Amino acid sequence: MTAYASFEDFIAGSSAPDGLKAVLTTLAATCADISRVVAGGALAGALGASGSVNVQDEEQKKLDVMTNDMLTQALSACPLVAGVASEEMDFVQPTTNAPADGYVVLFDPLDGSSNIDINAPVGTIFSVLPSPASPVEADFLQTGRNQVAAGYGLYGAQSMLILTIGEGVVGFTLAADGRWLLTHPEIRVSADTKEFAINMSNRRHWAEPVRRYVDACLAGKTGARGKDFNMRWVAAMVADVHRILIRGGVFLYPWDAREPERPGKLRLMYEGNPMALLIEQAGGKATTDGVQPILDVIPSALHQRVAVALGSANEVDQIAAA
Ligand code: AFP
């Protein structure tokens, strides 16, 4: 039987500073805990709505609230974490007593939470940035390029933890004994693909270039692209990005005319930036429009939205050219 390295061994042998190692160990342990709660479903009292809405006026599921509390508590107890921010919380939450060379952690505690009740994949997305000792909101508003680590826990057919510390992308699978084992030591996104992911029901709201790009894919072999495409949409970015990391593809959540003042639906700090770092570190491209790197977007608000077009590099170039 193959002997896989554990998360602890991987982290111990990595170039991450000791403080970051402690933060990542806390995140890994909490994702394993969340995986158990998600797997418990109705038995863990985890299904259904919580009866509250978040800062974005979205209905919160019970699990959104439970997982947000789990991450906030675990990270606040980690001495190197100077503060946390979450898609589910109105404001940043500084912790006490962190050193000057600590970190802030931003997270979407349960991405794709509309999938919970139908037993489809959901995940936890996280982004780690350097921080001064007593951070205020402005200290969280750093570009994605400043991230020292990013990743996600994916709770699907298997539970996986995908991580970058800026030296490529690795993947761990949760073993029956509760340990994360390094099953995917070098994840690379293929440069080409025949698969795209977008919510087609919004087609009538898209801008013309996005419509042209998707229409060219749909035209298949006899169209300008000269090949047939397949479409997938899990409605959980974490699962759609995971598919792209494993077998290539592109994922789009573009600007659309339903809320013209917003650049897109997804959140820059909790979804766009961490996924963009993973995709770039795996050799793909992560942009707002096929051209502008998400990691270069200068944030101006904690819950700001961003348009997303990411995945296989040559296919992202096709989006830019449409
Ligand atoms: P929820 O966490 O509210 O389910 O939203 C998930 C998400 O932000 C992202 O993970 C999906 O890619 C996207 O929304 C799905 O959006 P649609 O509702 O348009 O399918």
Side-chain angles (χ1 to χ4, degrees), residues 2-314:
T2 314
Y4 297 105
S6 67
F7 178 84
E8 288 72 23
D9 289 344
F10 170 83
I11 287 293
S14 77
S15 63
D18 286 347
L20 181 57
K21 285 177 178 164
V23 176
L24 296 175
T25 301
T26 302
L27 281 164
T30 312
C31 286
D33 291 343
I34 292 174
S35 154
R36 279 185 282 276
V37 178
V38 170
L43 302 175
L47 302 189
S50 70
S52 53
V53 292
N54 66 13
V55 60
Q56 283 127 134
D57 219 21
E58 297 161 337
E59 180 201 66
Q60 288 178 306
K61 301 283 184 186
K62 276 187 202 159
L63 261 179
D64 285 321
V65 177
M66 289 163 84
T67 55
N68 190 65
D69 290 349
M70 289 167 80
L71 282 158
T72 304
Q73 278 165 25
L75 289 166
S76 301
C78 176
L80 268 296
V81 175
V84 296
S86 161
E87 185 183 309
E88 301 299 337
M89 301 194 299
D90 295 13
F91 307 109
V92 302
Q93 203 167 296
T95 60
T96 45
N97 301 329
D101 56 349
Y103 302 92
V104 287
V105 184
L106 298 90
F107 51 83
D108 178 353
L110 208 65
D111 177 62
S113 53
S114 56
N115 277 358
I116 296 163
D117 294 354
I118 60 163
N119 199 0
V122 289
T124 300
I125 309 174
F126 55 85
S127 162
V128 186
L129 291 161
S131 170
S134 301
V136 294
E137 184 171 312
D139 295 308
F140 288 73
L141 300 182
Q142 304 178 42
T143 64
R145 294 260 173 239
N146 279 9
Q147 293 173 105
V148 292
Y152 59 81
L154 174 64
Y155 320 119
Q158 305 116 43
S159 284
M160 292 195 69
L161 181 69
I162 306 298
L163 178 69
T164 181
I165 53 170
E167 299 170 349
V169 179
V170 294
F172 305 84
T173 303
L174 192 62
D177 64 5
R179 291 185 307 150
W180 291 111
L181 298 181
L182 183 64
T183 47
H184 295 63
E186 192 186 353
I187 296 177
R188 302 290 300 165
V189 179
S190 62
D192 292 297
T193 184
K194 291 179 169 182
E195 206 158 65
F196 67 95
I198 191 166
N199 184 342
M200 280 297 294
S201 68
N202 296 330
R203 186 184 180 284
R204 68 190 183 285
H205 306 299
W206 298 334
E208 203 42 51
V210 175
R211 242 183 265 179
R212 276 200 298 271
Y213 167 72
V214 173
D215 287 351
C217 293
L218 296 177
K221 237 184 209 140
T222 53
R225 298 294 307 276
K227 59 181 181 180
D228 290 333
F229 278 79
N230 191 16
M231 199 206 81
R232 286 286 182 272
W233 187 247
V234 185
M237 185 195 199
V238 66
D240 280 311
V241 168
H242 188 70
R243 185 185 59 255
I244 290 168
L245 285 169
I246 299 300
R247 70 175 191 209
V250 286
F251 169 94
L252 296 96
Y253 215 116
W255 170 91
D256 76 43
R258 287 171 300 174
E259 294 182 291
E261 71 293 347
R262 280 187 173 163
K265 173 182 180 184
L266 302 179
R267 294 80 175 169
L268 175 64
M269 306 305 288
Y270 319 110
E271 296 170 314
N273 276 340
M275 292 312 200
L277 188 64
L278 287 165
I279 290 288
E280 281 201 6
Q281 283 291 316
K285 285 191 179 174
T287 69
T288 59
D289 55 359
V291 180
Q292 191 203 14
I294 291 173
L295 294 178
D296 291 336
V297 174
I298 296 171
S300 55
L302 199 56
H303 298 293
Q304 108 182 40
R305 313 280 178 143
V306 68
V308 174
L310 60 73
S312 295
N314 293 340

